[in-house]
Amino acid sequence: MPRGQAGASQHIAHFEVVEGVNGRPSGLYWCDVTIDKDGQESAAPPIWICSPLHVAANTRDGHGSEWGRLLEWKDRDGRQHSWAMPAELLAGTGEELRAALLREGLAITSNQRDRRRLLDYISQAQPGISVRAVRHTGWHGTAFVFPDHTLGDTPDEPIRYQAAYAEGMRLGKAGTLDGWRMRVAMPCVGNSRLVLALSAGFAAPTLGLLDAEGGGFHFRGGSSAGKTTALKAAASIWGPPEFVRTWRATDNALEGVAALHSDLLLCLDEMSELPPKVAGATAYMLANGSGKGRARRDGSARPPARWRVLFCSTGEVGLSDLIAEAGGRARAGQDVRFIDIPADPGLGLGLFERLPEGMTPGAFADSLKDLAAAHHGHAGPAFVSRLVDDFEPVRNALRSARDVIAGRVIPADTVGQVRRVAQRFALVGAAGELATEFGLTGWPEGEAERAATVCFQAWLTARGTSGAAEPTAMLAQVRRFLEAHGDSRFTPWDGDATERPTINRAGFRKTTADGHEYFVLRGAFQNELCSGFDHRAVASVLIKAGALATDGDGGATRTERLPGLGNARCYRILPKIWQPEDA
């Protein structure tokens, strides 16, 4: 008979969360109560589904999409967990959902039939509270969203980070803020690379305040130079040593990592583990703040993952080295986003410039890593809390400080590329000074600015010019080609006819009183010497450098009588190609 019909028994089935009831294990239960026709109740034994799990709220984005549930539970160690779970995980058999919960310590029945009830419980829950879900951490208005909580929630509606997995970034705490300041931050004073790395940790959440572009710093140098020490010291601002990740990941995996670290520091160790073929694209992806466009199963477009991240990286090689290993060429835009800093200041102490009395570089590095593991996770959240509490005044002060520092370090004749890099160094310096003003670092006033200035000058020196990177790269590429093929692919102008013919000839080589001139055939010049560049732009740079002879009208090619070929248009490269650019 239909439920509720007179004279028929009724089944009242429901879920019940039991906690702290004597004689009954805590957990989520499936309860089935039968009421017979006389009104007598009888209940089947409750079926245990999982450890206590609460559906605290419904979630959805600001457009009424991306619905989900806010789940809360404790693991077997009593640690509280909270996860804004996308509702799409309720589709299908729910294996992905259960796997995510199991990884985070929720105990679930092994009974195949009963475990499926977990999906019913989550989907049928009516919490009566709504939360706005967002797809990346960091600033959303004046609220700052962490993976597991939010500072500065809007009064109208709480905001939570929602992702397809429960596990994520570890923002655990250990020790004390005073311990971190005294034992980790203060010993870094006088070491520009260490102070820059820590200042970058504070600068990460300021990107959103000033609408600054993403990017990062790469400390490049030999092994045992102290690079990883700098990374772990910076990571301790936010969490334990596990906060540091490695480059050994697919670009898809790094998308999820970046979204989880939006407006937070992303620490990536050992760049040599990044596959060379994807190095350039991965660097662009992290800096540009957008993942791949993807389609849903029905073919409709899925919104790409987005983020805004400041990263610190280490490695024995740089980005341009990896790109070259794959047969590519680093672009100027990559150099601006991925700032390559020599890790060794050249004082014979590895990454360090100043050591505590009586300590060797190795002992100092080990001590700093141990202390960062013992005291971590306090300074970053405290810094963000101050940003949230004084949002507008802090933003204005930070912008002013950044501009003042940038004005001090930017060379008068600098170009846009260098100016953008200087702005990033200046922002990091300003953030470090702000953290000092908040009482978080224990550094003397001006320490963070000094470190940013020293590291910017080291980057500029390694770059070789304060001008645009493309002309320098173009001249360098032409020189490399002539160095590699000057003898083998350029026929001597006055060569003996009996000599072995030139294979795959690129042109002719003439010896003059000033050195070699190269008469480069047009095809070789445009397709090989200028590979990856516009050949007209390369010719223009060579002319400006006085390294390319022009025709009577200033054109890049000239008609020359070439041995064995007669009159032909070619590019005549002069010996000045070997002179320094500032000569």
Side-chain angles (χ1 to χ4, degrees):
M1 292 184 182
R3 180 178 175 180
Q5 185 172 336
S9 60
Q10 300 180 42
H11 290 276
I12 303 176
H14 63 282
F15 291 100
E16 182 179 347
V17 177
V18 174
E19 295 182 86
V21 177
N22 291 334
R24 191 172 178 187
S26 297
L28 169 67
Y29 286 87
W30 170 252
C31 304
D32 190 356
V33 178
T34 301
I35 303 177
D36 64 20
K37 60 183 179 179
D38 297 323
Q40 298 297 315
E41 293 186 4
S42 61
I47 298 174
W48 186 87
I49 306 299
C50 66
S51 50
L53 177 68
H54 301 276
V55 181
N58 291 313
T59 63
R60 75 278 185 273
D61 66 16
H63 305 288
S65 183
E66 302 295 334
W67 282 82
R69 300 284 192 274
L70 180 60
L71 306 181
E72 296 178 348
W73 70 97
K74 290 183 180 179
D75 61 26
R76 297 174 185 180
D77 292 331
R79 186 182 294 108
Q80 184 70 36
H81 291 257
S82 180
W83 176 30
M85 177 212 75
E88 64 187 29
L89 292 181
L90 296 171
T93 62
E95 290 182 4
E96 186 177 354
L97 167 62
R98 290 192 294 271
L101 292 170
L102 286 167
R103 282 195 298 269
E104 293 302 292
L106 184 76
I108 302 175
T109 179
S110 61
N111 185 283
Q112 188 73 18
R113 180 192 63 187
D114 295 337
R115 67 168 53 175
R116 293 175 182 171
R117 297 187 188 277
L118 180 59
L119 274 69
D120 295 333
Y121 168 69
I122 296 173
S123 61
Q124 294 171 12
Q126 300 293 330
I129 300 175
S130 294
V131 169
R132 180 156 66 91
V134 295
R135 299 180 68 230
H136 64 80
T137 59
W139 292 104
H140 294 270
T142 58
F144 193 93
V145 179
F146 288 94
D148 57 354
H149 69 284
T150 300
L151 290 178
D153 269 337
T154 59
D156 299 332
E157 187 174 58
I159 302 174
R160 289 298 302 267
Y161 172 69
Q162 181 165 292
Y165 39 85
E167 71 272 29
M169 179 171 45
R170 304 303 182 186
L171 291 173
K173 295 182 178 181
T176 64
L177 177 57
D178 286 341
W180 181 85
R181 180 173 54 246
M182 295 291 294
R183 300 187 178 187
V184 178
M186 291 178 63
C188 293
V189 170
N191 293 282
S192 60
R193 274 63 171 176
L194 288 176
V195 173
L196 183 80
L198 266 66
S199 296
F202 291 114
T206 70
L207 295 183
L209 283 181
L210 303 188
D211 196 26
E213 66 179 357
F217 302 95
H218 178 67
F219 294 101
R220 174 180 46 80
S223 61
S224 303
K227 305 183 301 297
T228 300
T229 300
L231 211 58
K232 290 190 174 182
S236 68
I237 292 175
W238 297 102
E242 293 77 22
F243 189 84
V244 176
R245 297 175 181 264
T246 73
W247 280 105
R248 189 175 184 178
T250 65
D251 52 355
N252 290 343
L254 282 175
E255 281 189 26
V257 170
L260 197 61
H261 287 74
S262 185
D263 284 332
L264 294 166
L265 183 67
L266 174 59
C267 298
L268 295 166
D269 201 13
E270 293 300 336
M271 182 172 223
S272 59
E273 295 183 348
L274 181 65
K277 289 185 178 180
V278 301
T282 300
Y284 257 130
M285 178 191 74
L286 287 179
N288 288 344
S290 180
K292 297 177 182 177
R294 294 181 173 86
R296 293 188 175 92
R297 293 179 180 178
D298 61 1
S300 62
R302 180 188 297 272
R306 298 195 180 278
W307 56 82
R308 180 176 45 230
V309 72
L310 182 68
F311 56 85
C312 278
S313 166
T314 68
E316 296 182 29
V317 298
L319 177 63
S320 58
D321 300 317
L322 278 183
I323 294 174
E325 186 179 330
R329 179 180 56 80
R331 305 283 181 176
Q334 290 167 328
D335 293 338
V336 169
R337 293 169 174 83
F338 201 96
I339 301 170
D340 198 337
I341 303 171
D344 190 341
L347 299 179
L349 301 174
L351 176 136
F352 309 117
E353 295 149 269
R354 176 180 171 184
L355 299 173
E357 187 175 354
M359 297 191 78
T360 64
F364 182 39
D366 291 342
S367 172
L368 204 56
K369 284 187 284 190
D370 290 343
L371 290 168
H375 299 275
H376 59 253
H378 299 279
F383 185 73
V384 170
S385 181
R386 291 291 300 271
L387 300 182
V388 169
D389 290 343
D390 300 303
F391 187 83
E392 283 298 337
V394 167
R395 179 162 64 175
N396 293 335
L398 191 65
R399 181 182 291 110
S400 177
R402 178 201 62 184
D403 294 344
V404 168
I405 295 173
R408 292 172 182 160
V409 302
I410 296 177
D413 60 345
T414 193
V415 296
Q417 295 167 0
V418 176
R419 186 173 296 275
R420 287 169 61 191
V421 172
Q423 288 278 353
R424 180 166 298 135
F425 276 104
L427 177 58
V428 169
E433 292 297 328
L434 186 61
T436 297
E437 182 182 330
F438 289 165
L440 300 176
T441 67
W443 299 338
E445 183 180 350
E447 179 66 20
E449 179 181 347
R450 184 197 71 83
T453 302
V454 169
C455 292
F456 171 71
Q457 293 299 330
W459 171 82
L460 194 60
T461 299
R463 185 175 189 264
T465 177
S466 61
E470 288 90 346
T472 301
M474 292 173 182
L475 289 171
Q477 181 163 303
V478 172
R479 292 189 190 107
R480 285 196 299 269
F481 186 90
L482 297 179
E483 288 169 350
H485 306 292
D487 291 334
S488 60
R489 296 186 57 192
F490 288 86
T491 302
W493 190 270
D494 299 316
D496 190 330
T498 61
E499 290 182 357
R500 180 176 60 83
T502 304
I503 305 301
N504 194 19
R505 181 164 55 195
F508 296 83
R509 182 182 73 253
K510 177 187 281 190
T511 302
T512 71
D514 297 323
H516 291 308
E517 291 185 1
Y518 294 89
F519 298 77
V520 187
L521 301 178
R522 286 189 292 180
F525 183 88
Q526 295 174 10
N527 299 324
E528 296 187 72
L529 272 76
C530 303
S531 176
F533 293 111
D534 185 315
H535 67 87
R536 293 176 290 269
V538 175
S540 177
V541 168
L542 289 170
I543 292 170
K544 187 176 180 180
L548 185 67
T550 61
D551 65 10
D553 298 322
T557 60
R558 297 166 50 94
T559 298
E560 300 281 357
R561 177 173 288 280
L562 302 178
L565 296 181
N567 291 335
R569 301 289 292 187
C570 64
Y571 294 84
R572 185 176 175 179
I573 297 179
L574 304 176
K576 198 171 182 181
I577 184 67
W578 304 111
Q579 293 184 12
E581 294 169 51
D582 56 355

